[in-house]
Amino acid sequence: MTVSLAKGQKISLEKPDGGQLSLVRMGLGWKAVQRKGFLAKLLSAGREIDLDASAVLFSRGRSVDVVWFQHLTSDDGSVRHSGDNLVGGAGDATDDESITVDLTRVGAEVDQILFTVNSFTGQTFQEVEAAFCRLVDETTGTELARYTLTGGGPYTAQIMAKVQRTPGGWQMAAIGQPASGRTFQDLMPELLKHL
């Protein structure tokens, strides 16, 4: 059963049978808002929307690695990006970009992984529809949680969620914090506030 996450909500990444999840995928999907009218379509012609998913790995409040379209695999191989989608999709709830995390291989020093979405081409979320971020148990294909970008807004980035190591295992928290920036580097001051 999927949990629709609200801003600030946390869920345990424990399986219903009590075991811990080992392989999770953070998926991102979107499509450009369809313009109505001849003039609107003409003005937006050729303006594809390139959203980018990134995962920033932290250890004790310090960034130690990042996975994004220019660095598709973490240094230890535990986090992998599917590759850069430059235009989005059909808005049919499938992932246009994804980041897979093997929680059993994440280095012991990593205590949090924050996931971000940036509009690399600079359009705001007012120009994006059907945008979502979801967490999937990659072993079974079961969608565990979904966070929907709602309300659009004049922002070009979103700090979506984080997974963090706790004494009881990994836990996910929806953040849903709008921000501005073309890449994860632009968001670093804001990311630090969520550690």
Side-chain angles (χ1 to χ4, degrees):
M1 181 176 127
T2 299
V3 175
S4 290
L5 290 174
K7 184 176 177 178
Q9 182 181 359
K10 294 182 181 177
I11 63 166
S12 171
L13 298 185
E14 188 174 293
K15 291 186 174 189
D17 64 7
Q20 292 291 318
L21 290 176
S22 58
L23 192 61
V24 295
R25 176 170 39 92
M26 184 68 68
L28 167 67
W30 76 96
K31 75 173 186 174
V33 169
Q34 298 301 305
R35 305 268 188 230
K36 294 184 171 62
F38 176 74
L39 187 57
K41 286 181 182 176
L42 184 65
L43 292 174
S44 63
R47 289 199 61 201
E48 302 292 354
I49 293 179
D50 178 10
L51 296 186
D52 291 318
S54 302
V56 185
L57 289 69
F58 287 91
S59 175
R60 297 183 208 155
R62 186 175 61 84
S63 171
V64 293
D65 202 355
V66 65
V67 173
W68 65 313
F69 70 89
Q70 291 187 354
H71 183 66
L72 296 176
T73 304
S74 63
D75 293 340
D76 66 6
S78 66
V79 183
R80 296 181 180 275
H81 195 294
S82 63
D84 195 12
N85 179 320
L86 303 176
V87 297
D92 59 1
T94 57
D95 299 337
D96 299 314
E97 286 191 15
S98 63
I99 297 175
T100 304
V101 182
D102 184 343
L103 295 168
T104 65
R105 293 182 55 206
V106 173
E109 74 283 359
V110 174
D111 50 28
Q112 296 186 63
I113 303 172
L114 273 75
F115 296 91
T116 68
V117 176
N118 296 81
S119 175
F120 187 75
T121 43
Q123 294 96 336
T124 69
F125 288 119
Q126 292 167 326
E127 300 175 74
V128 182
E129 64 182 42
F132 65 88
C133 181
R134 68 189 189 126
L135 189 70
V136 177
D137 178 345
E138 194 69 349
T139 306
T140 65
T142 304
E143 182 175 286
L144 304 170
R146 176 176 288 259
Y147 184 80
T148 302
L149 281 169
T150 56
Y155 307 102
T156 57
Q158 184 88 220
I159 301 169
M160 297 300 288
K162 71 176 176 178
V163 291
Q164 76 182 78
R165 200 186 297 263
T166 68
W170 288 95
Q171 189 174 70
M172 178 186 178
I175 297 172
Q177 179 67 50
S180 293
R182 293 179 62 230
T183 67
F184 77 91
Q185 292 108 321
D186 300 329
L187 304 182
M188 287 306 287
E190 288 300 315
L191 289 177
L192 294 174
K193 295 177 185 177
H194 294 283
L195 298 179

